[in-house]
């Protein structure tokens, strides 16, 4: 499988990344993020889980491409790419903006066996109006929001050269988020695992747990110590939760996992 949209990461030691025999896990990054955000998780899950990290246009090796400014259009494109990878059992993991994209992409895959599970991380459940934390106008407001979220990469925005490179992507991603509202439709018949940090400055545990309304299947909530980017310090625990969940699901996975 070759696609400009997905990245596999090889093990430590310089070996080339290979497609695994395990369940495919498509990982959707946060606003301003890139496929490399899931490097540690991919290496921890390998080889039992075959991680395909999404590379949105406008960043890293796709920096010359125009970034999307609409969640729906980006989800349409991602659904097309997932279709091209074939029908083997697969799951989605999305963090922050990526959680919205994982959910919206899954909604579009009613013409094929859908994901066997959605892992929705660091994001409040959607509603009929845009999330107020996404309503950012100026570059200064965007940067203040990014710094508020913290994470291991927050300090890179103090470098003017790096800032010049990443601002177009950040502007586009927050423009997409600022206009996103949930459109009524059938709930997914896909189990959810909702993950959130206990000190996330923009997502409360209650707001995260509200994702349960968007599936007719089971929805589990896992709360980790940490902020919005709790995953940076909880890779092993999250990987254990993901692999354990998929191990239990995949033997029984059928084409019935789709929206209804």
């Amino acid at each position: 499988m070759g696609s400009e949209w997905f990245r596999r990461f090889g093990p430590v030691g310089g070996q080339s990344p290979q497609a695994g025999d395990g369940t495919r896990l498509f990982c959707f990054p946060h606003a301003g993020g890139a496929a490399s955000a899931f490097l540690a998780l991919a290496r921890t899950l390998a080889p039992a889980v075959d991680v395909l990290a999404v590379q949105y246009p406008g960043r890293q090796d796709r920096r010359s491409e125009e970034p999307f400014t609409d969640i729906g259009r980006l989800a349409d494109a991602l659904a097309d790419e997932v279709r091209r990878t074939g029908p083997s059992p697969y799951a989605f993991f999305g963090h922050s903006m990526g959680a919205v994209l994982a959910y919206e992409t899954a909604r579009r895959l009613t013409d094929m066996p859908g994901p066997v599970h959605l892992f929705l991380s660091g994001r409040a459940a959607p509603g009929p109006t845009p999330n107020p934390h996404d309503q950012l106008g100026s570059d200064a407001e965007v940067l203040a929001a990014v710094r508020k979220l913290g994470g291991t990469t927050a300090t890179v925005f103090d470098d003017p050269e790096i800032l010049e490179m990443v601002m177009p992507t950040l502007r586009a991603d927050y423009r997409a988020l600022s206009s996103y509202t949930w459109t009524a439709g059938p709930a997914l018949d896909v189990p959810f695992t909702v993950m959130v940090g206990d000190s996330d400055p923009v997502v409360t545990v209650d707001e995260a747990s509200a994702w349960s309304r968007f599936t007719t299947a089971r929805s589990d909530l896992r709360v980790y110590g940490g902020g919005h980017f709790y995953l940076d310090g909880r890779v092993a625990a999250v990987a254990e939760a993901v692999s354990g969940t998929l191990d239990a699901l995949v033997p029984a996975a059928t084409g019935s996992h789709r929206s209804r």
Side-chain angles (χ1 to χ4, degrees), residues 95-112:
H95 180 71
S96 197
M97 181 182 81
V100 174
L101 283 165
Y103 165 72
E104 288 292 345
T105 301
R107 295 180 82 186
R108 286 156 167 77
L109 294 172
T110 57
D111 57 333
M112 64 177 283

mmCIF file of all heavy atoms in Angstrom, residues 95-112:
data_model
loop_
_atom_site.group_PDB
_atom_site.id
_atom_site.type_symbol
_atom_site.label_atom_id
_atom_site.label_comp_id
_atom_site.label_asym_id
_atom_site.label_seq_id
_atom_site.Cartn_x
_atom_site.Cartn_y
_atom_site.Cartn_z
ATOM 1 N N HIS A 95 -6.569 12.321 18.179
ATOM 2 C CA HIS A 95 -6.323 13.187 19.331
ATOM 3 C C HIS A 95 -6.692 14.629 19.003
ATOM 4 O O HIS A 95 -6.262 15.172 17.975
ATOM 5 C CB HIS A 95 -4.860 13.131 19.771
ATOM 6 C CG HIS A 95 -4.577 14.002 20.955
ATOM 7 N ND1 HIS A 95 -5.029 13.702 22.220
ATOM 8 C CD2 HIS A 95 -3.932 15.196 21.069
ATOM 9 C CE1 HIS A 95 -4.659 14.646 23.066
ATOM 10 N NE2 HIS A 95 -3.997 15.579 22.380
ATOM 11 N N SER A 96 -7.475 15.262 19.865
ATOM 12 C CA SER A 96 -7.869 16.657 19.741
ATOM 13 C C SER A 96 -8.599 16.871 18.407
ATOM 14 O O SER A 96 -9.639 16.244 18.182
ATOM 15 C CB SER A 96 -6.642 17.553 19.904
ATOM 16 O OG SER A 96 -7.005 18.883 20.186
ATOM 17 N N MET A 97 -8.125 17.723 17.522
ATOM 18 C CA MET A 97 -8.765 17.852 16.215
ATOM 19 C C MET A 97 -8.865 16.498 15.533
ATOM 20 O O MET A 97 -9.839 16.213 14.820
ATOM 21 C CB MET A 97 -7.976 18.816 15.324
ATOM 22 C CG MET A 97 -8.592 19.025 13.938
ATOM 23 S SD MET A 97 -7.645 20.130 12.843
ATOM 24 C CE MET A 97 -6.389 18.991 12.245
ATOM 25 N N GLY A 98 -7.881 15.644 15.756
ATOM 26 C CA GLY A 98 -7.890 14.319 15.165
ATOM 27 C C GLY A 98 -9.053 13.458 15.609
ATOM 28 O O GLY A 98 -9.510 12.583 14.863
ATOM 29 N N ALA A 99 -9.559 13.689 16.829
ATOM 30 C CA ALA A 99 -10.724 12.937 17.295
ATOM 31 C C ALA A 99 -11.956 13.284 16.461
ATOM 32 O O ALA A 99 -12.746 12.404 16.081
ATOM 33 C CB ALA A 99 -10.979 13.226 18.772
ATOM 34 N N VAL A 100 -12.130 14.565 16.162
ATOM 35 C CA VAL A 100 -13.236 14.993 15.306
ATOM 36 C C VAL A 100 -13.104 14.362 13.919
ATOM 37 O O VAL A 100 -14.074 13.853 13.354
ATOM 38 C CB VAL A 100 -13.264 16.531 15.196
ATOM 39 C CG1 VAL A 100 -14.314 16.977 14.186
ATOM 40 C CG2 VAL A 100 -13.540 17.164 16.541
ATOM 41 N N LEU A 101 -11.882 14.375 13.374
ATOM 42 C CA LEU A 101 -11.673 13.813 12.046
ATOM 43 C C LEU A 101 -11.857 12.300 12.023
ATOM 44 O O LEU A 101 -12.394 11.748 11.057
ATOM 45 C CB LEU A 101 -10.284 14.190 11.535
ATOM 46 C CG LEU A 101 -10.187 15.626 11.034
ATOM 47 C CD1 LEU A 101 -8.724 16.045 10.891
ATOM 48 C CD2 LEU A 101 -10.921 15.786 9.709
ATOM 49 N N ALA A 102 -11.423 11.616 13.074
ATOM 50 C CA ALA A 102 -11.638 10.171 13.142
ATOM 51 C C ALA A 102 -13.131 9.858 13.134
ATOM 52 O O ALA A 102 -13.599 8.963 12.410
ATOM 53 C CB ALA A 102 -10.972 9.609 14.395
ATOM 54 N N TYR A 103 -13.891 10.593 13.931
ATOM 55 C CA TYR A 103 -15.340 10.387 14.002
ATOM 56 C C TYR A 103 -16.009 10.708 12.675
ATOM 57 O O TYR A 103 -16.813 9.916 12.159
ATOM 58 C CB TYR A 103 -15.903 11.261 15.120
ATOM 59 C CG TYR A 103 -17.400 11.429 15.086
ATOM 60 C CD1 TYR A 103 -18.255 10.376 15.434
ATOM 61 C CD2 TYR A 103 -17.976 12.633 14.701
ATOM 62 C CE1 TYR A 103 -19.636 10.536 15.390
ATOM 63 C CE2 TYR A 103 -19.341 12.804 14.661
ATOM 64 C CZ TYR A 103 -20.169 11.752 14.998
ATOM 65 O OH TYR A 103 -21.538 11.913 14.953
ATOM 66 N N GLU A 104 -15.681 11.861 12.079
ATOM 67 C CA GLU A 104 -16.322 12.255 10.827
ATOM 68 C C GLU A 104 -15.911 11.336 9.674
ATOM 69 O O GLU A 104 -16.725 11.056 8.778
ATOM 70 C CB GLU A 104 -15.991 13.708 10.496
ATOM 71 C CG GLU A 104 -16.687 14.727 11.398
ATOM 72 C CD GLU A 104 -18.198 14.764 11.183
ATOM 73 O OE1 GLU A 104 -18.688 14.221 10.169
ATOM 74 O OE2 GLU A 104 -18.907 15.338 12.035
ATOM 75 N N THR A 105 -14.695 10.857 9.687
ATOM 76 C CA THR A 105 -14.274 9.903 8.662
ATOM 77 C C THR A 105 -15.050 8.601 8.793
ATOM 78 O O THR A 105 -15.517 8.026 7.797
ATOM 79 C CB THR A 105 -12.757 9.648 8.744
ATOM 80 O OG1 THR A 105 -12.058 10.886 8.579
ATOM 81 C CG2 THR A 105 -12.295 8.678 7.669
ATOM 82 N N ALA A 106 -15.209 8.121 10.026
ATOM 83 C CA ALA A 106 -15.970 6.892 10.254
ATOM 84 C C ALA A 106 -17.412 7.031 9.767
ATOM 85 O O ALA A 106 -17.998 6.085 9.218
ATOM 86 C CB ALA A 106 -15.945 6.532 11.735
ATOM 87 N N ARG A 107 -17.997 8.211 9.937
ATOM 88 C CA ARG A 107 -19.384 8.442 9.496
ATOM 89 C C ARG A 107 -19.523 8.297 7.984
ATOM 90 O O ARG A 107 -20.619 8.013 7.481
ATOM 91 C CB ARG A 107 -19.841 9.849 9.893
ATOM 92 C CG ARG A 107 -19.935 10.096 11.374
ATOM 93 C CD ARG A 107 -20.402 11.527 11.648
ATOM 94 N NE ARG A 107 -21.850 11.636 11.551
ATOM 95 C CZ ARG A 107 -22.519 12.790 11.633
ATOM 96 N NH1 ARG A 107 -21.855 13.931 11.760
ATOM 97 N NH2 ARG A 107 -23.824 12.821 11.555
ATOM 98 N N ARG A 108 -18.445 8.493 7.260
ATOM 99 C CA ARG A 108 -18.486 8.475 5.801
ATOM 100 C C ARG A 108 -18.241 7.094 5.206
ATOM 101 O O ARG A 108 -18.313 6.929 3.985
ATOM 102 C CB ARG A 108 -17.452 9.472 5.247
ATOM 103 C CG ARG A 108 -17.902 10.921 5.429
ATOM 104 C CD ARG A 108 -16.730 11.882 5.442
ATOM 105 N NE ARG A 108 -17.153 13.266 5.317
ATOM 106 C CZ ARG A 108 -17.679 13.997 6.306
ATOM 107 N NH1 ARG A 108 -17.848 13.467 7.511
ATOM 108 N NH2 ARG A 108 -18.062 15.256 6.104
ATOM 109 N N LEU A 109 -17.964 6.102 6.037
ATOM 110 C CA LEU A 109 -17.560 4.787 5.529
ATOM 111 C C LEU A 109 -18.674 3.761 5.608
ATOM 112 O O LEU A 109 -18.453 2.584 5.908
ATOM 113 C CB LEU A 109 -16.320 4.306 6.306
ATOM 114 C CG LEU A 109 -15.070 5.156 6.071
ATOM 115 C CD1 LEU A 109 -13.950 4.744 7.021
ATOM 116 C CD2 LEU A 109 -14.604 5.043 4.620
ATOM 117 N N THR A 110 -19.894 4.189 5.319
ATOM 118 C CA THR A 110 -21.040 3.274 5.376
ATOM 119 C C THR A 110 -21.095 2.324 4.189
ATOM 120 O O THR A 110 -21.898 1.391 4.176
ATOM 121 C CB THR A 110 -22.349 4.083 5.433
ATOM 122 O OG1 THR A 110 -22.415 4.963 4.296
ATOM 123 C CG2 THR A 110 -22.418 4.906 6.706
ATOM 124 N N ASP A 111 -20.250 2.544 3.186
ATOM 125 C CA ASP A 111 -20.249 1.697 1.996
ATOM 126 C C ASP A 111 -19.268 0.536 2.110
ATOM 127 O O ASP A 111 -19.071 -0.195 1.144
ATOM 128 C CB ASP A 111 -19.909 2.532 0.758
ATOM 129 C CG ASP A 111 -18.572 3.253 0.889
ATOM 130 O OD1 ASP A 111 -18.162 3.535 2.036
ATOM 131 O OD2 ASP A 111 -17.935 3.535 -0.143
ATOM 132 N N MET A 112 -18.634 0.369 3.254
ATOM 133 C CA MET A 112 -17.675 -0.705 3.460
ATOM 134 C C MET A 112 -17.660 -1.046 4.950
ATOM 135 O O MET A 112 -18.202 -0.291 5.769
ATOM 136 C CB MET A 112 -16.281 -0.270 3.006
ATOM 137 C CG MET A 112 -15.706 0.890 3.808
ATOM 138 S SD MET A 112 -14.019 1.362 3.321
ATOM 139 C CE MET A 112 -13.040 0.058 4.102
#
